[in-house]
Amino acid sequence: MGELSKTFPVRNYDLDATLASGQAFCWQSLGQAWEGVIGKRWVRLRMAKGSIAAEVAYPVPDWAWLEDYLQLHIDLGQVLATFPDDEPMRNAVAALPGLRLLRQDYWECLASFILSATKQIVQIRQMVALLSERFGEPIESGGNKPTFAFPSIEAIAACSEAELRECKLGFRAPNLRGAARDILDEKIEWQRLPTMTSSEARAELMKLRGVGQKIADCVLLYAGGHQDVFPVDVWIDRALKRLYFPKRRPSARRLRKFADTHFGPYAGYAQQYLFHHARVHLKLK
DNA sequence: AGCCAGGCTAAAT
DNA sequence: ATTTAGCATGGC
């Protein structure tokens, strides 16, 4: 019993922008469609007029896992209405209306962003793909290529540092391995993260070596659903300074405070719009 | 060729 | 309390 495909009606959903926007690193663009893995399921997604068509490799009894991942219940209009009414936000939203946040798995998200340190998005995708091919569980695919799930915490913990370095992780290898081992050794309260407040969960994640505030905030936002959290990376840092403090030179502390207070209850969404806008329009310095 | 990439840590102001 | 070098590796 179950279905191999389903079509979901959507409004204001830019699937291409969302899957390419540097929040998830397991999606591959194949012309009209996207292929990726959510948990242990291979998925192909296709955007049509007013709907997203999904296809899986074996019948599934329900689609709640996909609806949750794509956050189909979110009313984007309500989200956008909470943004501050200033020119930078208006421009960022106008540039890409329909950009969304996904709801990802905690471990895959944490691992991906541990890998993200001083790496470009294309390279993060490459590392994630290599890790999955070498240490992930093979899963059934609807395409013609063999497909693998993202490696489990146990699988990464069992790797040697050298094996991880062979996946081009560089100095990130011990951090990823250490995070997996610390979670298994219960050095942090991993299981309780979903029930914690933002600041509790952030502090817990930052106990891991190689995880600072930026990476912790990405996990809170993209996996934990803390939509008010506003990760500040190099692009956002540039964007905030250029767009909101063109003359002055705000201290890091001041800028952090601004990020935490200016963007409202859906600051994480605002951040995603500004991030994309900065990467496209602020490229020339 | 050289600079920089969805950073973090520890050392040095 | 804030700034800076070093870290691996690859794209451009």
Side-chain angles (χ1 to χ4, degrees):
Chain A
M1 197 66 73
E3 310 162 292
L4 278 171
S5 64
K6 182 167 171 119
T7 298
F8 303 89
V10 293
R11 286 188 308 159
N12 306 325
Y13 206 119
D14 189 332
L15 187 67
D16 291 332
T18 300
L19 297 182
S21 67
Q23 49 181 317
F25 305 95
C26 59
W27 292 96
Q28 211 180 347
S29 173
L30 293 150
Q32 304 297 328
W34 290 86
E35 289 182 9
V37 176
I38 300 174
K40 291 184 179 178
R41 292 193 183 96
W42 172 91
V43 194
R44 178 184 286 144
L45 299 175
R46 202 182 307 267
M47 189 73 205
K49 194 79 178 169
S51 68
I52 294 174
E55 193 183 329
V56 290
Y58 57 91
V60 292
D62 71 84
W63 296 84
W65 54 278
L66 182 59
E67 292 166 353
D68 183 57
Y69 183 89
L70 294 174
Q71 294 282 283
L72 296 181
H73 63 283
I74 292 285
D75 180 341
L76 191 61
Q78 272 185 14
V79 172
L80 301 184
T82 68
F83 288 179
D85 187 21
D86 56 37
E87 189 160 347
M89 271 322 306
R90 282 196 297 270
N91 290 338
V93 172
L96 210 64
L99 179 62
R100 301 288 190 128
L101 290 182
L102 303 167
R103 184 78 186 262
Q104 303 177 54
D105 171 74
Y106 263 94
W107 165 243
E108 180 171 345
C109 186
L110 171 62
S112 300
F113 279 98
I114 286 176
L115 304 185
S116 76
T118 53
K119 277 292 184 186
Q120 299 183 137
I121 290 173
V122 283
Q123 300 170 339
I124 303 168
R125 285 207 193 90
Q126 165 83 346
M127 291 186 282
V128 166
L130 278 172
L131 283 174
S132 299
E133 285 167 27
R134 301 193 55 164
F135 305 113
E137 183 182 323
I139 57 175
E140 206 173 326
S141 152
N144 39 23
K145 301 183 297 289
T147 304
F148 303 86
F150 188 81
S152 66
I153 302 177
E154 291 79 4
I156 293 296
C159 289
S160 69
E161 188 179 318
E163 286 176 311
L164 296 178
R165 281 181 186 269
E166 285 169 19
C167 297
K168 314 198 190 259
L169 300 204
F171 64 82
R172 304 154 194 82
N175 293 340
L176 181 65
R177 183 169 184 269
R181 296 173 77 90
D182 283 355
I183 291 168
L184 292 183
D185 293 344
E186 298 181 22
K187 297 278 180 57
I188 71 168
E189 297 206 67
W190 178 252
Q191 299 296 338
R192 247 175 33 77
L193 285 181
T195 69
M196 293 182 189
T197 66
S198 298
S199 23
E200 286 172 340
R202 177 184 298 116
E204 205 58 25
L205 286 165
M206 287 175 65
K207 289 178 181 172
L208 299 169
R209 169 158 289 267
V211 179
Q213 176 166 0
K214 192 276 173 177
I215 291 176
D217 282 354
C218 285
V219 177
L220 295 181
L221 179 62
Y222 300 135
H226 294 268
Q227 297 166 325
D228 59 321
V229 170
F230 191 103
V232 176
D233 75 314
V234 290
W235 290 103
I236 290 289
D237 185 73
R238 276 175 216 165
L240 293 183
K241 285 173 178 163
R242 287 254 312 241
L243 299 171
Y244 290 98
F245 302 89
K247 301 291 182 200
R248 286 171 289 173
R249 179 140 287 286
S251 67
R253 179 114 182 78
R254 174 83 182 83
L255 205 66
R256 183 67 253 178
K257 179 76 173 177
F258 179 76
D260 286 336
T261 53
H262 185 253
F263 295 97
Y266 291 100
Y269 276 86
Q271 178 271 158
Q272 200 66 20
Y273 282 91
L274 289 171
F275 174 70
H276 183 276
H277 192 58
R279 291 215 319 138
V280 174
H281 292 98
L282 270 48
K283 271 231 165 103
L284 307 177
K285 171 172 189 180

